[in-house]
Amino acid sequence: MSWKITAFADRATIEHALIAHEDALDWDPEIVISGCEVAEDKPDDWRLDAWLDHKPRKADTNALAALFSGKAPSFHVEELPETDWLVSSQQDLEPIRAGIFHVHTPDHPAIEEPGMVDFTIPASQAFGTGQHATTAGCLAMLTHMKRQGVIVRNCADIGTGTGLLAFAALALWPRTIATASDIDAVCPAVVESNAKLNGITMGEGNGELVMTVAAGMDHPLLHARGPYDLIMANILAGPLVSLAPDFGPALVPGGHLVLAGLLETQEPAVRQACQRAGLRLAARMVNGDWSILWLRKRRNWSAI
């Protein structure tokens, strides 16, 4: 059985707790949390949910309480029936349109519309079915970059999840060499299955995708296949700040970096870290509360 702990508070309080969670270096990875608004017509009323695979202990609730500055809100604890909650939560997701892309689960039909690229992404244990604002924002940003004349011959999708952003890059730049990585060992099987479903060829050549398990940029395959014209990373603000010094050297001069997974309030810290790594802002989009950044490596920049 699994358990859930829920707390209700105003938006600023929950967002502060989510940021504190990202900054908590000793956070128990067995406690998974998320935050969202309670209802569309109540934008300032938010909830924080925490999922555990065991009955919550005092140490667990203390860890959650420590995320809040001042007095923590009250916690509601409930036992959940045996099920894969990630898959269950995604099964009824509606299709989305972002840029030239239409993304849907197998429960919904594909579209045949001139100029649109259709992807079928089943609900799975990996992040990135397209419905989250950060993923949709990345699809829109990649479309914008293509329309601005960006040419990509070699790209990497860091923290790929389902593989969707790598698939999108291959659709926009069909001759690119694509590499995808994720820290989660479940992802290679998910990406390979999704690639087969969407006609993406797994392999090392032009127009093909290679998948590996890696923490950030620190992997021999990622080093060997770089430097890249384009790196995409839809993860979290904390890891983006930490990885910024690695992104710069991994890009060719003038190369492109697309970042997502950061709230607008976290954007200054991410941009500052990228600036120190020789990256300048080319464009930004906001989707809901989330920022999507397109940055470029300075042509005359070199690490000191």
Short mmCIF file of all heavy atoms in Angstrom, two decimals, residues 4-73:
data_model
loop_
_atom_site.label_atom_id
_atom_site.label_comp_id
_atom_site.label_asym_id
_atom_site.label_seq_id
_atom_site.Cartn_x
_atom_site.Cartn_y
_atom_site.Cartn_z
N LYS A 4 -0.45 9.03 1.25
CA LYS A 4 -0.34 10.41 0.78
C LYS A 4 -0.56 11.36 1.94
O LYS A 4 -1.46 11.17 2.75
CB LYS A 4 -1.34 10.69 -0.35
CG LYS A 4 -1.18 12.10 -0.94
CD LYS A 4 -2.02 12.29 -2.19
CE LYS A 4 -3.49 12.46 -1.86
NZ LYS A 4 -4.27 12.93 -3.03
N ILE A 5 0.26 12.40 1.97
CA ILE A 5 0.11 13.48 2.95
C ILE A 5 -0.23 14.75 2.17
O ILE A 5 0.45 15.09 1.20
CB ILE A 5 1.41 13.70 3.75
CG1 ILE A 5 1.84 12.41 4.43
CG2 ILE A 5 1.21 14.82 4.78
CD1 ILE A 5 3.20 12.52 5.12
N THR A 6 -1.26 15.46 2.57
CA THR A 6 -1.71 16.66 1.86
C THR A 6 -1.77 17.84 2.82
O THR A 6 -2.19 17.70 3.98
CB THR A 6 -3.11 16.45 1.24
OG1 THR A 6 -3.04 15.34 0.34
CG2 THR A 6 -3.56 17.68 0.47
N ALA A 7 -1.32 18.99 2.34
CA ALA A 7 -1.41 20.24 3.09
C ALA A 7 -2.00 21.31 2.18
O ALA A 7 -1.69 21.37 0.99
CB ALA A 7 -0.04 20.68 3.60
N PHE A 8 -2.88 22.15 2.74
CA PHE A 8 -3.50 23.24 1.98
C PHE A 8 -3.00 24.58 2.51
O PHE A 8 -2.89 24.78 3.73
CB PHE A 8 -5.02 23.17 2.10
CG PHE A 8 -5.62 21.95 1.46
CD1 PHE A 8 -5.84 20.79 2.21
CD2 PHE A 8 -5.96 21.96 0.12
CE1 PHE A 8 -6.39 19.67 1.62
CE2 PHE A 8 -6.52 20.83 -0.47
CZ PHE A 8 -6.73 19.68 0.27
N ALA A 9 -2.68 25.50 1.57
CA ALA A 9 -2.23 26.85 1.96
C ALA A 9 -2.35 27.75 0.74
O ALA A 9 -2.80 27.33 -0.34
CB ALA A 9 -0.79 26.81 2.47
N ASP A 10 -1.97 29.00 0.90
CA ASP A 10 -2.00 29.92 -0.23
C ASP A 10 -0.86 29.60 -1.19
O ASP A 10 0.09 28.89 -0.85
CB ASP A 10 -1.91 31.37 0.25
CG ASP A 10 -0.63 31.63 1.01
OD1 ASP A 10 0.39 31.97 0.38
OD2 ASP A 10 -0.63 31.43 2.25
N ARG A 11 -0.95 30.14 -2.39
CA ARG A 11 0.02 29.83 -3.44
C ARG A 11 1.45 30.15 -3.02
O ARG A 11 2.36 29.33 -3.21
CB ARG A 11 -0.35 30.61 -4.70
CG ARG A 11 0.70 30.56 -5.79
CD ARG A 11 0.25 31.33 -7.02
NE ARG A 11 1.35 31.52 -7.96
CZ ARG A 11 1.22 32.08 -9.15
NH1 ARG A 11 0.05 32.51 -9.56
NH2 ARG A 11 2.26 32.22 -9.95
N ALA A 12 1.69 31.33 -2.45
CA ALA A 12 3.05 31.73 -2.09
C ALA A 12 3.66 30.76 -1.08
O ALA A 12 4.85 30.42 -1.16
CB ALA A 12 3.04 33.15 -1.53
N THR A 13 2.84 30.30 -0.14
CA THR A 13 3.34 29.38 0.88
C THR A 13 3.74 28.04 0.27
O THR A 13 4.80 27.48 0.58
CB THR A 13 2.27 29.15 1.97
OG1 THR A 13 1.99 30.42 2.60
CG2 THR A 13 2.74 28.16 3.02
N ILE A 14 2.90 27.51 -0.61
CA ILE A 14 3.20 26.22 -1.24
C ILE A 14 4.40 26.34 -2.17
O ILE A 14 5.28 25.46 -2.20
CB ILE A 14 1.98 25.68 -2.01
CG1 ILE A 14 0.81 25.45 -1.04
CG2 ILE A 14 2.34 24.40 -2.74
CD1 ILE A 14 1.07 24.42 0.04
N GLU A 15 4.47 27.43 -2.95
CA GLU A 15 5.61 27.61 -3.85
C GLU A 15 6.90 27.72 -3.05
O GLU A 15 7.95 27.18 -3.46
CB GLU A 15 5.42 28.85 -4.71
CG GLU A 15 4.40 28.66 -5.83
CD GLU A 15 4.36 29.83 -6.78
OE1 GLU A 15 4.91 30.90 -6.43
OE2 GLU A 15 3.79 29.69 -7.87
N HIS A 16 6.87 28.41 -1.91
CA HIS A 16 8.06 28.50 -1.06
C HIS A 16 8.48 27.11 -0.59
O HIS A 16 9.68 26.78 -0.58
CB HIS A 16 7.77 29.39 0.15
CG HIS A 16 8.91 29.42 1.14
ND1 HIS A 16 9.96 30.29 1.02
CD2 HIS A 16 9.16 28.67 2.26
CE1 HIS A 16 10.82 30.07 2.02
NE2 HIS A 16 10.35 29.11 2.78
N ALA A 17 7.52 26.27 -0.24
CA ALA A 17 7.83 24.91 0.21
C ALA A 17 8.43 24.09 -0.92
O ALA A 17 9.37 23.30 -0.71
CB ALA A 17 6.57 24.23 0.74
N LEU A 18 7.93 24.25 -2.16
CA LEU A 18 8.46 23.51 -3.30
C LEU A 18 9.91 23.92 -3.58
O LEU A 18 10.76 23.08 -3.89
CB LEU A 18 7.60 23.76 -4.54
CG LEU A 18 6.18 23.18 -4.51
CD1 LEU A 18 5.39 23.68 -5.71
CD2 LEU A 18 6.22 21.66 -4.48
N ILE A 19 10.19 25.21 -3.46
CA ILE A 19 11.56 25.70 -3.66
C ILE A 19 12.48 25.17 -2.56
O ILE A 19 13.61 24.74 -2.81
CB ILE A 19 11.59 27.23 -3.71
CG1 ILE A 19 10.85 27.73 -4.96
CG2 ILE A 19 13.02 27.75 -3.72
CD1 ILE A 19 10.63 29.22 -5.00
N ALA A 20 11.99 25.18 -1.32
CA ALA A 20 12.78 24.65 -0.21
C ALA A 20 13.08 23.17 -0.40
O ALA A 20 14.17 22.69 -0.06
CB ALA A 20 12.03 24.87 1.11
N HIS A 21 12.12 22.44 -0.97
CA HIS A 21 12.33 21.02 -1.26
C HIS A 21 13.46 20.82 -2.26
O HIS A 21 14.32 19.94 -2.10
CB HIS A 21 11.03 20.41 -1.79
CG HIS A 21 11.21 19.08 -2.45
ND1 HIS A 21 11.16 18.93 -3.82
CD2 HIS A 21 11.45 17.85 -1.94
CE1 HIS A 21 11.36 17.66 -4.12
NE2 HIS A 21 11.54 16.98 -3.01
N GLU A 22 13.48 21.65 -3.32
CA GLU A 22 14.54 21.54 -4.32
C GLU A 22 15.91 21.83 -3.71
O GLU A 22 16.92 21.26 -4.12
CB GLU A 22 14.28 22.50 -5.47
CG GLU A 22 13.11 22.09 -6.35
CD GLU A 22 12.99 22.98 -7.58
OE1 GLU A 22 14.00 23.63 -7.91
OE2 GLU A 22 11.92 23.01 -8.19
N ASP A 23 15.96 22.75 -2.73
CA ASP A 23 17.23 23.14 -2.13
C ASP A 23 17.68 22.21 -1.01
O ASP A 23 18.79 22.35 -0.49
CB ASP A 23 17.13 24.57 -1.58
CG ASP A 23 16.93 25.59 -2.68
OD1 ASP A 23 17.29 25.29 -3.84
OD2 ASP A 23 16.40 26.69 -2.40
N ALA A 24 16.82 21.26 -0.61
CA ALA A 24 17.14 20.36 0.50
C ALA A 24 18.04 19.24 0.01
O ALA A 24 17.59 18.27 -0.60
CB ALA A 24 15.85 19.80 1.11
N LEU A 25 19.33 19.34 0.27
CA LEU A 25 20.31 18.38 -0.24
C LEU A 25 20.15 17.00 0.41
O LEU A 25 20.52 15.99 -0.18
CB LEU A 25 21.73 18.90 0.01
CG LEU A 25 22.08 20.23 -0.68
CD1 LEU A 25 23.49 20.64 -0.33
CD2 LEU A 25 21.93 20.11 -2.19
N ASP A 26 19.60 16.95 1.61
CA ASP A 26 19.47 15.67 2.32
C ASP A 26 18.05 15.12 2.25
O ASP A 26 17.65 14.30 3.07
CB ASP A 26 19.90 15.83 3.78
CG ASP A 26 19.08 16.89 4.52
OD1 ASP A 26 18.36 17.66 3.85
OD2 ASP A 26 19.17 16.94 5.76
N TRP A 27 17.26 15.56 1.26
CA TRP A 27 15.86 15.13 1.16
C TRP A 27 15.78 13.63 0.90
O TRP A 27 16.53 13.09 0.08
CB TRP A 27 15.14 15.89 0.07
CG TRP A 27 13.67 15.58 0.02
CD1 TRP A 27 13.04 14.74 -0.83
CD2 TRP A 27 12.68 16.09 0.91
NE1 TRP A 27 11.69 14.70 -0.54
CE2 TRP A 27 11.45 15.53 0.53
CE3 TRP A 27 12.71 16.99 1.98
CZ2 TRP A 27 10.26 15.81 1.18
CZ3 TRP A 27 11.53 17.28 2.62
CH2 TRP A 27 10.32 16.70 2.23
N ASP A 28 14.86 12.96 1.58
CA ASP A 28 14.63 11.53 1.40
C ASP A 28 14.00 11.30 0.03
O ASP A 28 12.87 11.71 -0.21
CB ASP A 28 13.72 11.01 2.50
CG ASP A 28 13.49 9.50 2.41
OD1 ASP A 28 13.93 8.89 1.43
OD2 ASP A 28 12.85 8.96 3.34
N PRO A 29 14.70 10.63 -0.92
CA PRO A 29 14.14 10.44 -2.26
C PRO A 29 12.89 9.56 -2.28
O PRO A 29 12.19 9.52 -3.29
CB PRO A 29 15.29 9.77 -3.02
CG PRO A 29 16.12 9.11 -1.97
CD PRO A 29 16.02 10.01 -0.76
N GLU A 30 12.60 8.86 -1.17
CA GLU A 30 11.39 8.04 -1.11
C GLU A 30 10.13 8.88 -0.92
O GLU A 30 9.02 8.37 -1.06
CB GLU A 30 11.51 7.02 0.03
CG GLU A 30 12.65 6.02 -0.14
CD GLU A 30 12.50 5.19 -1.40
OE1 GLU A 30 11.37 4.76 -1.70
OE2 GLU A 30 13.49 5.00 -2.11
N ILE A 31 10.30 10.15 -0.57
CA ILE A 31 9.15 11.05 -0.41
C ILE A 31 9.05 11.92 -1.65
O ILE A 31 9.90 12.78 -1.89
CB ILE A 31 9.28 11.94 0.85
CG1 ILE A 31 9.53 11.09 2.10
CG2 ILE A 31 8.03 12.80 1.03
CD1 ILE A 31 9.75 11.91 3.35
N VAL A 32 8.03 11.70 -2.46
CA VAL A 32 7.83 12.45 -3.71
C VAL A 32 6.76 13.51 -3.48
O VAL A 32 5.67 13.19 -2.98
CB VAL A 32 7.40 11.51 -4.84
CG1 VAL A 32 7.16 12.28 -6.13
CG2 VAL A 32 8.44 10.41 -5.05
N ILE A 33 7.05 14.76 -3.81
CA ILE A 33 6.08 15.82 -3.56
C ILE A 33 5.76 16.58 -4.83
O ILE A 33 6.52 16.59 -5.80
CB ILE A 33 6.57 16.81 -2.47
CG1 ILE A 33 7.66 17.74 -3.00
CG2 ILE A 33 7.05 16.07 -1.24
CD1 ILE A 33 7.97 18.87 -2.05
N SER A 34 4.59 17.23 -4.83
CA SER A 34 4.19 18.11 -5.91
C SER A 34 3.22 19.15 -5.35
O SER A 34 2.65 18.96 -4.27
CB SER A 34 3.51 17.34 -7.05
OG SER A 34 2.25 16.86 -6.66
N GLY A 35 3.03 20.23 -6.08
CA GLY A 35 2.11 21.27 -5.65
C GLY A 35 1.29 21.77 -6.83
O GLY A 35 1.77 21.77 -7.96
N CYS A 36 0.08 22.19 -6.57
CA CYS A 36 -0.79 22.69 -7.64
C CYS A 36 -1.93 23.49 -7.01
O CYS A 36 -2.18 23.41 -5.80
CB CYS A 36 -1.33 21.56 -8.49
SG CYS A 36 -2.42 20.42 -7.60
N GLU A 37 -2.65 24.25 -7.87
CA GLU A 37 -3.80 24.98 -7.39
C GLU A 37 -4.96 24.01 -7.15
O GLU A 37 -5.06 22.96 -7.80
CB GLU A 37 -4.20 26.07 -8.37
CG GLU A 37 -4.59 25.56 -9.75
CD GLU A 37 -4.84 26.71 -10.71
OE1 GLU A 37 -4.25 27.79 -10.53
OE2 GLU A 37 -5.63 26.50 -11.65
N VAL A 38 -5.82 24.34 -6.21
CA VAL A 38 -6.95 23.47 -5.86
C VAL A 38 -7.97 23.44 -6.98
O VAL A 38 -8.52 22.38 -7.32
CB VAL A 38 -7.59 23.94 -4.54
CG1 VAL A 38 -8.84 23.13 -4.23
CG2 VAL A 38 -6.58 23.82 -3.40
N ALA A 39 -8.24 24.59 -7.59
CA ALA A 39 -9.22 24.67 -8.67
C ALA A 39 -8.90 25.89 -9.53
O ALA A 39 -8.30 26.85 -9.07
CB ALA A 39 -10.64 24.79 -8.11
N GLU A 40 -9.32 25.83 -10.81
CA GLU A 40 -9.02 26.93 -11.73
C GLU A 40 -9.63 28.24 -11.29
O GLU A 40 -9.07 29.31 -11.55
CB GLU A 40 -9.51 26.58 -13.14
CG GLU A 40 -8.73 25.46 -13.81
CD GLU A 40 -9.14 25.25 -15.25
OE1 GLU A 40 -10.00 26.03 -15.74
OE2 GLU A 40 -8.63 24.31 -15.88
N ASP A 41 -10.80 28.19 -10.63
CA ASP A 41 -11.45 29.42 -10.20
C ASP A 41 -10.96 29.90 -8.84
O ASP A 41 -11.46 30.88 -8.30
CB ASP A 41 -12.98 29.24 -10.17
CG ASP A 41 -13.41 28.13 -9.23
OD1 ASP A 41 -12.55 27.31 -8.82
OD2 ASP A 41 -14.61 28.06 -8.90
N LYS A 42 -9.95 29.20 -8.28
CA LYS A 42 -9.35 29.61 -7.01
C LYS A 42 -7.83 29.60 -7.16
O LYS A 42 -7.14 28.76 -6.57
CB LYS A 42 -9.79 28.68 -5.88
CG LYS A 42 -11.29 28.69 -5.60
CD LYS A 42 -11.65 27.74 -4.47
CE LYS A 42 -13.15 27.76 -4.18
NZ LYS A 42 -13.52 26.83 -3.09
N PRO A 43 -7.29 30.52 -7.95
CA PRO A 43 -5.86 30.48 -8.29
C PRO A 43 -4.91 30.68 -7.11
O PRO A 43 -3.74 30.34 -7.22
CB PRO A 43 -5.71 31.61 -9.31
CG PRO A 43 -6.85 32.53 -9.02
CD PRO A 43 -7.97 31.67 -8.58
N ASP A 44 -5.39 31.22 -6.00
CA ASP A 44 -4.50 31.45 -4.86
C ASP A 44 -4.60 30.33 -3.82
O ASP A 44 -3.88 30.34 -2.83
CB ASP A 44 -4.80 32.80 -4.20
CG ASP A 44 -3.65 33.25 -3.31
OD1 ASP A 44 -2.49 33.23 -3.79
OD2 ASP A 44 -3.90 33.59 -2.14
N ASP A 45 -5.51 29.38 -4.02
CA ASP A 45 -5.65 28.27 -3.09
C ASP A 45 -4.90 27.07 -3.64
O ASP A 45 -5.26 26.51 -4.68
CB ASP A 45 -7.13 27.90 -2.89
CG ASP A 45 -7.90 29.00 -2.19
OD1 ASP A 45 -7.26 29.88 -1.57
OD2 ASP A 45 -9.14 28.99 -2.26
N TRP A 46 -3.84 26.67 -2.95
CA TRP A 46 -2.98 25.60 -3.45
C TRP A 46 -2.91 24.44 -2.46
O TRP A 46 -3.30 24.58 -1.29
CB TRP A 46 -1.56 26.14 -3.69
CG TRP A 46 -1.41 26.81 -5.03
CD1 TRP A 46 -2.25 27.72 -5.59
CD2 TRP A 46 -0.35 26.60 -5.97
NE1 TRP A 46 -1.78 28.10 -6.83
CE2 TRP A 46 -0.62 27.44 -7.08
CE3 TRP A 46 0.79 25.81 -5.98
CZ2 TRP A 46 0.23 27.48 -8.18
CZ3 TRP A 46 1.64 25.86 -7.08
CH2 TRP A 46 1.35 26.69 -8.17
N ARG A 47 -2.39 23.32 -2.95
CA ARG A 47 -2.20 22.15 -2.12
C ARG A 47 -0.81 21.56 -2.38
O ARG A 47 -0.28 21.66 -3.48
CB ARG A 47 -3.26 21.08 -2.41
CG ARG A 47 -3.26 20.57 -3.82
CD ARG A 47 -4.41 19.62 -4.10
NE ARG A 47 -4.23 18.35 -3.40
CZ ARG A 47 -5.21 17.49 -3.18
NH1 ARG A 47 -6.44 17.78 -3.60
NH2 ARG A 47 -4.97 16.36 -2.56
N LEU A 48 -0.25 20.97 -1.35
CA LEU A 48 1.01 20.25 -1.45
C LEU A 48 0.72 18.78 -1.15
O LEU A 48 0.11 18.47 -0.13
CB LEU A 48 2.04 20.78 -0.45
CG LEU A 48 3.40 20.09 -0.49
CD1 LEU A 48 4.26 20.71 -1.58
CD2 LEU A 48 4.12 20.22 0.85
N ASP A 49 1.10 17.89 -2.05
CA ASP A 49 0.91 16.45 -1.87
C ASP A 49 2.25 15.77 -1.76
O ASP A 49 3.19 16.08 -2.52
CB ASP A 49 0.12 15.84 -3.04
CG ASP A 49 -1.31 16.33 -3.11
OD1 ASP A 49 -1.96 16.38 -2.05
OD2 ASP A 49 -1.78 16.66 -4.21
N ALA A 50 2.36 14.83 -0.84
CA ALA A 50 3.56 14.02 -0.68
C ALA A 50 3.15 12.55 -0.69
O ALA A 50 2.21 12.16 0.02
CB ALA A 50 4.27 14.36 0.63
N TRP A 51 3.85 11.74 -1.51
CA TRP A 51 3.55 10.31 -1.62
C TRP A 51 4.67 9.50 -0.99
O TRP A 51 5.86 9.79 -1.19
CB TRP A 51 3.37 9.91 -3.08
CG TRP A 51 2.13 10.42 -3.72
CD1 TRP A 51 0.92 9.82 -3.78
CD2 TRP A 51 1.96 11.66 -4.41
NE1 TRP A 51 0.01 10.59 -4.45
CE2 TRP A 51 0.61 11.72 -4.86
CE3 TRP A 51 2.82 12.73 -4.70
CZ2 TRP A 51 0.12 12.81 -5.57
CZ3 TRP A 51 2.32 13.80 -5.41
CH2 TRP A 51 0.99 13.84 -5.84
N LEU A 52 4.30 8.46 -0.25
CA LEU A 52 5.26 7.57 0.40
C LEU A 52 4.83 6.12 0.18
O LEU A 52 3.64 5.84 0.01
CB LEU A 52 5.35 7.83 1.91
CG LEU A 52 5.65 9.25 2.39
CD1 LEU A 52 4.37 10.05 2.56
CD2 LEU A 52 6.41 9.20 3.72
N ASP A 53 5.79 5.20 0.20
CA ASP A 53 5.44 3.79 0.07
C ASP A 53 5.35 3.10 1.43
O ASP A 53 5.33 1.88 1.52
CB ASP A 53 6.45 3.05 -0.82
CG ASP A 53 7.87 3.10 -0.26
OD1 ASP A 53 8.07 3.65 0.85
OD2 ASP A 53 8.78 2.58 -0.92
N HIS A 54 5.29 3.90 2.50
CA HIS A 54 5.13 3.35 3.85
C HIS A 54 4.27 4.31 4.67
O HIS A 54 4.08 5.47 4.30
CB HIS A 54 6.49 3.17 4.53
CG HIS A 54 7.28 4.45 4.65
ND1 HIS A 54 8.23 4.83 3.72
CD2 HIS A 54 7.24 5.47 5.56
CE1 HIS A 54 8.75 5.99 4.06
NE2 HIS A 54 8.16 6.41 5.18
N LYS A 55 3.75 3.82 5.77
CA LYS A 55 2.96 4.68 6.65
C LYS A 55 3.83 5.81 7.17
O LYS A 55 4.94 5.57 7.66
CB LYS A 55 2.39 3.86 7.81
CG LYS A 55 1.44 4.65 8.69
CD LYS A 55 0.81 3.76 9.75
CE LYS A 55 -0.18 4.56 10.61
NZ LYS A 55 -0.82 3.70 11.63
N PRO A 56 3.37 7.06 7.04
CA PRO A 56 4.22 8.19 7.44
C PRO A 56 4.65 8.11 8.90
O PRO A 56 3.86 7.80 9.79
CB PRO A 56 3.30 9.40 7.20
CG PRO A 56 2.34 8.95 6.17
CD PRO A 56 2.09 7.50 6.46
N ARG A 57 5.93 8.37 9.10
CA ARG A 57 6.50 8.41 10.44
C ARG A 57 6.65 9.87 10.88
O ARG A 57 6.50 10.78 10.08
CB ARG A 57 7.86 7.71 10.45
CG ARG A 57 7.81 6.24 10.06
CD ARG A 57 9.19 5.60 10.10
NE ARG A 57 10.03 6.08 9.02
CZ ARG A 57 10.24 5.43 7.88
NH1 ARG A 57 9.62 4.27 7.67
NH2 ARG A 57 11.03 5.93 6.96
N LYS A 58 6.94 10.05 12.14
CA LYS A 58 7.13 11.40 12.67
C LYS A 58 8.23 12.12 11.90
O LYS A 58 8.12 13.31 11.60
CB LYS A 58 7.47 11.33 14.16
CG LYS A 58 7.58 12.69 14.84
CD LYS A 58 6.24 13.41 14.89
CE LYS A 58 6.34 14.70 15.70
NZ LYS A 58 5.06 15.45 15.70
N ALA A 59 9.29 11.40 11.55
CA ALA A 59 10.40 12.02 10.81
C ALA A 59 9.94 12.51 9.44
O ALA A 59 10.42 13.54 8.95
CB ALA A 59 11.54 11.02 10.66
N ASP A 60 8.99 11.80 8.82
CA ASP A 60 8.48 12.20 7.51
C ASP A 60 7.68 13.51 7.60
O ASP A 60 7.88 14.43 6.80
CB ASP A 60 7.60 11.10 6.92
CG ASP A 60 8.35 9.80 6.71
OD1 ASP A 60 9.53 9.86 6.36
OD2 ASP A 60 7.74 8.74 6.93
N THR A 61 6.77 13.58 8.56
CA THR A 61 5.98 14.80 8.71
C THR A 61 6.85 15.97 9.18
O THR A 61 6.61 17.12 8.79
CB THR A 61 4.81 14.58 9.69
OG1 THR A 61 5.32 14.08 10.93
CG2 THR A 61 3.81 13.59 9.11
N ASN A 62 7.87 15.68 9.99
CA ASN A 62 8.80 16.74 10.41
C ASN A 62 9.56 17.30 9.21
O ASN A 62 9.80 18.51 9.11
CB ASN A 62 9.79 16.21 11.45
CG ASN A 62 9.16 16.03 12.82
OD1 ASN A 62 8.08 16.56 13.08
ND2 ASN A 62 9.82 15.29 13.68
N ALA A 63 9.95 16.42 8.29
CA ALA A 63 10.67 16.86 7.09
C ALA A 63 9.79 17.76 6.23
O ALA A 63 10.24 18.78 5.69
CB ALA A 63 11.15 15.66 6.28
N LEU A 64 8.51 17.38 6.10
CA LEU A 64 7.59 18.22 5.34
C LEU A 64 7.35 19.56 6.03
O LEU A 64 7.33 20.62 5.39
CB LEU A 64 6.26 17.49 5.15
CG LEU A 64 6.25 16.34 4.15
CD1 LEU A 64 4.93 15.59 4.22
CD2 LEU A 64 6.49 16.85 2.73
N ALA A 65 7.18 19.52 7.34
CA ALA A 65 6.94 20.75 8.09
C ALA A 65 8.11 21.71 7.97
O ALA A 65 7.93 22.94 7.92
CB ALA A 65 6.68 20.42 9.56
N ALA A 66 9.34 21.16 7.86
CA ALA A 66 10.53 22.00 7.77
C ALA A 66 10.61 22.76 6.46
O ALA A 66 11.38 23.73 6.34
CB ALA A 66 11.77 21.14 7.96
N LEU A 67 9.82 22.36 5.46
CA LEU A 67 9.81 23.07 4.17
C LEU A 67 9.10 24.42 4.27
O LEU A 67 9.29 25.28 3.40
CB LEU A 67 9.13 22.22 3.10
CG LEU A 67 9.77 20.87 2.76
CD1 LEU A 67 8.92 20.14 1.71
CD2 LEU A 67 11.20 21.06 2.24
N PHE A 68 8.29 24.59 5.30
CA PHE A 68 7.50 25.81 5.44
C PHE A 68 8.21 26.78 6.39
O PHE A 68 8.69 26.39 7.45
CB PHE A 68 6.11 25.49 5.98
CG PHE A 68 5.28 24.64 5.05
CD1 PHE A 68 5.34 23.26 5.12
CD2 PHE A 68 4.45 25.23 4.10
CE1 PHE A 68 4.59 22.47 4.27
CE2 PHE A 68 3.71 24.45 3.24
CZ PHE A 68 3.78 23.07 3.32
N SER A 69 8.27 28.04 5.98
CA SER A 69 8.82 29.06 6.87
C SER A 69 7.73 29.45 7.86
O SER A 69 6.61 29.75 7.47
CB SER A 69 9.28 30.28 6.07
OG SER A 69 8.21 30.83 5.34
N GLY A 70 8.05 29.44 9.13
CA GLY A 70 7.03 29.70 10.14
C GLY A 70 6.24 28.44 10.43
O GLY A 70 6.70 27.32 10.21
N LYS A 71 5.01 28.60 10.87
CA LYS A 71 4.17 27.47 11.24
C LYS A 71 3.67 26.75 10.00
O LYS A 71 3.13 27.34 9.08
CB LYS A 71 2.98 27.94 12.08
CG LYS A 71 2.12 26.79 12.60
CD LYS A 71 0.97 27.31 13.45
CE LYS A 71 0.11 26.15 13.94
NZ LYS A 71 -1.03 26.65 14.77
N ALA A 72 3.86 25.42 9.98
CA ALA A 72 3.40 24.62 8.84
C ALA A 72 1.90 24.43 8.90
O ALA A 72 1.30 24.39 9.98
CB ALA A 72 4.10 23.26 8.86
N PRO A 73 1.25 24.30 7.74
CA PRO A 73 -0.19 24.01 7.74
C PRO A 73 -0.43 22.60 8.28
O PRO A 73 0.49 21.79 8.40
CB PRO A 73 -0.57 24.13 6.27
CG PRO A 73 0.70 23.87 5.52
CD PRO A 73 1.80 24.40 6.38
#
